Amino acid sequence: MSAAPPQCSFWRASSTGKAIADAVHGVPAHFGLVEASRGRRAGSGSAGSNRLVVVSNRVARQNEVRAGGLAAAMRAALMENGGLWFGWSGNLVAEDRRQLHHESDGAIDYALLDLTQEEYQAYYLGFSNRSLWPLLHFQPTRMQYSHAEYAGYRRVNQLFAQKLASLLRPADRIWVQDYHLIPLASELRALGIRARMGFFLHVPLPPPQLLADLPCHADLMRTLLAYDLVGVQTAANATSLRRYFLDVAGASCTGDTVTQDGRQTRIAPFPISIDTALVARQAEAAMNRSAFRGLRASVNGHKLVIGVDRLDYSKGISQRLQAFDRFLAQHRPWRKKVSLLQVAPISRKEVPEYHELRLEVERIVGAINGHHARPDWLPIRYVNHSFARATLTGFYRMARVALVTPLRDGMNLVAKEFVAAQDPADPGVLVLSRFAGAAQELQQALLVNPYDPDDLVDALVQGLEMPLAERRARWQAMFECISAHDVGAWRKAFLSALERCGLPHQHRVPRTVLSMAEIRLGPAATCAVPSCAVANEETAD
């Protein structure tokens, strides 16, 4: 093994960055009023410090335990220079009882805003999860668009901007997370905020033709150009977004920088990762936990195959289970020698499509177990609740094969956690969808098309029968990749790129992109749709 870890294929292709040229704009007349009214709450750093402000739909508060690596990454970033984490409180209240809650945890301040039931319905359950989520996961036929829900989504982003603006300082850097908050920068610019602003999209991004299926695509997508930096998971995602602005929105593009209406926005890939060393330590420690010992005893010497996914139609759980059924039917000698543990925590219970998915998956599991099970052997163990990562890493370590086969995924950190959790002396095999962003880095996995059940069956057999030497070689290459490019490297790469955006820009007073007449809310509906910070009057929808 060489002293320096090998570069993943993705990072070899995209490690060089490009600084963004400064754009000069007129200063809004009302900027001084916003600046003067800005709060100086007790918190991290001085008023002139280079503070980081993270904005996300949900916030991982100090006493909450979240299994994902994003919470740890954001906390580490905020701890470096002190910072503010702003988002929804999780509370649904009446309008006259809305509060902005303030908490502190060492160097981190939290600002948590209540929403009303109506706002939650339109912004989160409606437009975010019934329009954007399916579209961004390449499933436009599942999209259920509503003009009223889009207007509600824009109103909540405007509300977030109004509440956040009074907490900001001139030297702040603002890092906005994910599809719930695409228009936030445009609303902040409309209030005169000139700080550097970056946006990271955690989910995949379809090609321009699919993005254009969204009825409000011109209005929504244009707001991304209010950011100085837009980060996505893969080079293909970055190309898709730049092509959208070039081909659909009429912008110009030089390298990775898009220019429209005099503003420049860099669009680049920053593949998110995990705390690799921490996951490896947790997996080793998990072997002494009762949950690990209990699972090992119940497996009784059989090979364990594992799948861990939030219960979502984008994860390919139904297709995976049907492929496992085919595997048992075609490879009878493996019966009573292998079991699949499928962990699938329930999510978005209020969305009807997710309730229907749960019933479908339960039906498939019941049919497979009913057909193949024996009194002393259950082919599929299906669990609907989540586990702490410290426990889950032990399950990963025990598994001979992980089936990580989403139909489409921005990255999929389960794939990376599985690799990090393995025993170097006897590692398991990763079967990975080629439509997950992680496939661009973890190319030593067995890459499959999740829509092809025979492809999944062949990969499962190959993984179960793979010789130890090959398993070690594949695992070593993937482990070195995720060790060199862990979540800390992701965070530093993004913030370094945002810093290279130059001094905070001065922005024009924004123009309205769509008029009220163009946002058709129905015969009796009235709703003020917030304006975009950047627009191009000559661009056709």
Side-chain angles (χ1 to χ4, degrees):
M1 187 190 312
S2 61
Q7 291 286 314
C8 311
S9 58
F10 174 89
W11 288 88
R12 282 201 302 268
S14 63
S15 59
T16 58
K18 176 183 178 293
I20 298 179
D22 291 340
V24 179
H25 299 274
V27 182
H30 58 281
F31 178 77
L33 297 176
V34 175
E35 185 72 13
S37 66
R38 234 165 253 170
R40 291 289 187 265
R41 299 186 56 87
S44 313
S46 65
S49 66
N50 197 18
R51 188 179 66 157
L52 177 64
V53 176
V54 172
V55 189
S56 57
N57 175 59
R58 292 302 304 271
V59 173
R61 298 154 80 171
Q62 63 243 44
N63 296 322
E64 290 182 355
V65 177
R66 292 184 183 267
L70 178 63
M74 294 298 100
R75 283 201 185 97
L78 290 164
M79 288 293 291
E80 283 188 348
N81 294 307
L84 170 67
W85 198 341
F86 183 98
W88 175 38
S89 67
N91 299 331
L92 298 177
V93 300
E95 173 68 34
D96 59 358
R97 299 180 66 86
R98 187 199 308 275
Q99 294 185 54
L100 181 62
H101 307 270
H102 296 277
E103 301 176 6
S104 293
D105 179 24
I108 305 175
D109 293 334
Y110 297 87
L112 310 168
L113 181 64
D114 299 335
L115 294 178
T116 67
Q117 180 66 49
E118 293 75 14
E119 290 165 342
Y120 173 73
Q121 186 69 40
Y123 151 77
Y124 182 76
L125 294 181
F127 186 73
S128 290
N129 285 314
R130 302 188 77 176
S131 289
L132 282 181
W133 179 267
L135 179 70
L136 295 174
H137 285 84
F138 292 64
Q139 298 196 38
T141 57
R142 291 183 177 270
M143 184 170 60
Q144 299 183 39
Y145 176 78
S146 158
H147 289 296
E149 288 177 347
Y150 177 55
Y153 170 87
R154 294 299 302 268
R155 281 197 304 274
V156 170
N157 273 267
Q158 186 180 59
L159 178 65
F160 269 41
Q162 291 168 347
K163 299 298 183 182
L164 176 61
S166 64
L167 306 177
L168 295 175
R169 302 167 182 167
D172 284 345
R173 299 163 297 159
I174 303 170
W175 191 1
V176 180
Q177 306 291 325
D178 226 359
Y179 61 99
H180 312 86
L181 300 171
I182 289 172
L184 185 64
S186 69
E187 298 299 341
L188 288 169
R189 300 296 188 205
L191 295 173
I193 305 302
R194 298 183 297 175
R196 296 182 186 92
M197 297 188 203
F199 175 83
F200 186 77
L201 184 69
H202 293 259
V203 297
L205 196 88
Q209 298 90 334
L210 279 185
L211 283 175
D213 285 350
L214 185 67
C216 61
H217 72 90
D219 186 66
L220 177 65
M221 298 303 293
R222 212 172 281 151
T223 66
L224 278 173
L225 298 182
Y227 292 98
D228 299 291
L229 174 66
V230 173
V232 292
Q233 296 280 21
T234 68
N237 292 165
T239 298
S240 290
L241 188 54
R242 290 194 292 264
R243 292 302 311 182
Y244 171 87
F245 285 116
L246 186 64
D247 296 344
V248 180
S252 62
C253 184
T254 304
D256 59 8
T257 301
V258 170
T259 302
Q260 188 172 51
D261 199 29
R263 254 199 63 77
Q264 293 182 316
T265 299
R266 182 186 175 199
I267 299 173
F270 298 89
I272 195 171
S273 194
I274 61 171
D275 188 335
T276 307
L278 174 61
V279 172
R281 292 194 302 270
Q282 288 178 327
E284 188 169 4
M287 297 173 68
N288 297 317
R289 286 175 170 261
S290 59
F292 178 91
R293 294 194 299 268
L295 178 59
R296 183 171 57 186
S298 69
V299 170
N300 194 26
H302 299 158
K303 302 296 184 187
L304 180 67
V305 178
I306 192 168
V308 178
D309 313 84
R310 186 170 53 79
L311 190 60
D312 189 281
Y313 51 77
S314 69
K315 300 300 183 181
I317 298 173
S318 298
Q319 291 84 350
R320 181 185 312 155
L321 294 172
Q322 290 164 347
F324 189 71
D325 182 30
R326 184 173 298 200
F327 159 76
L328 294 174
Q330 295 178 351
H331 299 272
R332 297 177 69 89
W334 276 106
R335 293 185 183 184
K336 299 186 68 173
K337 294 181 180 179
V338 63
S339 293
L340 169 63
L341 171 61
Q342 177 62 59
V343 179
I346 297 168
S347 67
R348 299 171 184 163
K349 298 177 184 178
E350 305 96 328
V351 180
E353 293 81 0
Y354 287 80
H355 177 68
E356 294 167 6
L357 175 64
R358 180 181 182 183
L359 295 179
E360 175 187 320
V361 170
E362 289 173 349
R363 179 187 57 78
I364 295 172
V365 170
I368 294 172
N369 282 340
H371 182 69
H372 295 290
R374 297 296 181 265
D376 59 344
W377 172 66
L378 193 65
I380 300 176
R381 304 170 183 218
Y382 177 61
V383 183
N384 270 145
H385 60 81
S386 58
F387 296 89
R389 189 172 61 188
T391 298
L392 202 55
T393 53
F395 296 169
Y396 292 147
R397 196 178 185 92
M398 191 187 309
R400 171 54 59 88
V401 176
L403 295 179
V404 184
T405 56
L407 305 180
R408 193 72 58 169
D409 223 336
M411 179 52 61
N412 196 297
L413 296 181
V414 167
K416 295 186 175 184
E417 289 182 347
F418 175 80
V419 172
Q422 294 309 296
D423 179 356
D426 187 22
V429 177
L430 174 62
V431 176
L432 178 61
S433 167
R434 62 180 67 254
F435 304 135
Q440 302 303 307
E441 298 172 85
L442 305 180
Q443 296 192 2
Q444 293 77 21
L446 300 181
L447 301 181
V448 298
N449 183 335
Y451 293 97
D452 183 350
D454 290 325
D455 200 13
L456 268 66
V457 170
D458 291 345
L460 178 54
V461 173
Q462 184 182 352
L464 289 169
E465 298 178 350
M466 186 178 291
L468 177 60
E470 183 179 354
R471 285 192 278 123
R472 284 176 173 170
R474 288 176 180 270
W475 171 82
Q476 186 67 45
M478 292 188 290
F479 184 76
E480 290 177 358
C481 178
I482 63 174
S483 295
H485 304 292
D486 62 5
V487 71
W490 168 76
R491 165 175 54 86
K492 291 173 183 176
F494 187 94
L495 292 178
S496 175
L498 182 60
E499 199 69 27
R500 293 198 301 270
C501 289
L503 295 175
H505 297 302
Q506 297 176 342
H507 297 272
R508 292 195 186 117
V509 178
R511 297 194 300 270
T512 300
V513 174
L514 296 183
S515 69
M516 268 304 305
E518 292 168 313
I519 300 287
R520 303 183 197 282
L521 300 180
T526 58
C527 170
V529 177
S531 59
C532 275
V534 274
N536 186 339
E537 292 173 342
E538 287 72 42
T539 299
D541 189 340

